[in-house]
Amino acid sequence: MMKSSLMATRRPPDSESTERNAPSVEAAFQATPEEMVAQILDGALHLSPRPARPHANVASNLAGILMAPFKFGSGGPGGWVILYEPELHLGPRPDKLVPDLAGWRRERLPRAVGGDDAPAHYALAPDWTCEVLSERTRRRDKGQKMRIYAREGVRHVWHVDPLAHTLDVFRLIEREWLLVHSFAGEERVRAEPFDALELDLALLWSE
């Protein structure tokens, strides 16, 4: 385990564009085939194929590990809404992001499903997101998406590398991302904001 001395990543810009997404970009987003993942970041459309097996396996494992204690309160404190691949619409453009996992503290999102007229997306920024890194998405996950999450006040971001078997934990402090922990291998760790319980990394990589 590496416990960092609060290393800061690049500071997000102080001013953000209020320009709306181009109608052609929005139309292309709506027309995306179901087998692709579509995101709009800084006004540009990004398409990715569905995750490869290592990516899907780790994302599913992490969801299974966190759901019982933190969403349902079974063997843990509860108090969270945790969703798999939610569509987020954030900011005035809006940016449209699909994290691998996202979590809201229950008091901020008491009704995750909403009523009959609730949209498919969420416009409320989560408290935590997790991005499972791949060669196709690594640059966007570490760059544009981190800047958008910082702008919207997401408090914690995890980066999980399914091939290197690493977990990096970031905390937002005054709009700067601080790497507070970097874990690897089969350690048993406490990773904020879910540090109420110990996480067995061996389960995260298991098949």
Side-chain angles (χ1 to χ4, degrees), residues 90-121:
L90 305 178
R93 297 193 77 121
D95 292 296
K96 299 183 178 182
L97 304 87
V98 182
D100 291 289
L101 291 166
W104 291 258
R105 294 191 182 275
R106 178 72 68 175
E107 61 267 22
R108 293 186 62 236
L109 189 67
R111 297 186 65 204
V113 176
D116 293 340
D117 58 347
H121 66 270

Side-chain angles (χ1 to χ4, degrees), residues 37 39 41 46-48 136-147:
V37 177
Q39 301 183 95
L41 309 176
H46 298 269
L47 299 179
S48 302
R136 291 190 298 264
T137 65
R138 183 183 302 270
R139 182 172 296 181
R140 291 198 299 271
D141 290 341
K142 287 180 168 288
Q144 287 173 294
K145 293 180 80 170
M146 288 288 274
R147 290 193 293 273

Side-chain angles (χ1 to χ4, degrees), residues 21-175:
N21 296 323
S24 59
V25 172
E26 289 285 359
F29 178 86
Q30 296 298 329
T32 301
E34 292 186 2
E35 66 271 17
M36 304 293 287
V37 177
Q39 301 183 95
I40 299 178
L41 309 176
D42 300 323
L45 178 67
H46 298 269
L47 299 179
S48 302
R50 300 303 303 176
R53 289 187 180 189
H55 183 136
N57 180 66
V58 164
S60 300
N61 286 351
L62 182 57
I65 291 168
L66 296 179
M67 287 287 188
F70 291 101
K71 182 171 184 177
F72 302 119
S74 176
W80 284 82
V81 173
I82 299 173
L83 300 177
Y84 182 75
E85 290 191 350
E87 183 179 309
L88 308 178
H89 290 195
L90 305 178
R93 297 193 77 121
D95 292 296
K96 299 183 178 182
L97 304 87
V98 182
D100 291 289
L101 291 166
W104 291 258
R105 294 191 182 275
R106 178 72 68 175
E107 61 267 22
R108 293 186 62 236
L109 189 67
R111 297 186 65 204
V113 176
D116 293 340
D117 58 347
H121 66 270
Y122 292 83
L124 179 67
D127 295 287
W128 164 83
T129 66
C130 177
E131 303 288 355
V132 179
L133 305 178
S134 69
E135 289 307 309
R136 291 190 298 264
T137 65
R138 183 183 302 270
R139 182 172 296 181
R140 291 198 299 271
D141 290 341
K142 287 180 168 288
Q144 287 173 294
K145 293 180 80 170
M146 288 288 274
R147 290 193 293 273
I148 293 168
Y149 291 145
R151 183 193 73 204
E152 298 299 318
V154 177
R155 302 307 303 172
H156 294 89
V157 170
W158 289 8
H159 285 167
V160 177
D161 191 320
L163 299 182
H165 289 188
T166 59
L167 164 62
D168 291 334
V169 177
F170 296 89
R171 181 197 308 155
L172 186 67
I173 297 181
E174 296 182 353
R175 298 192 74 210

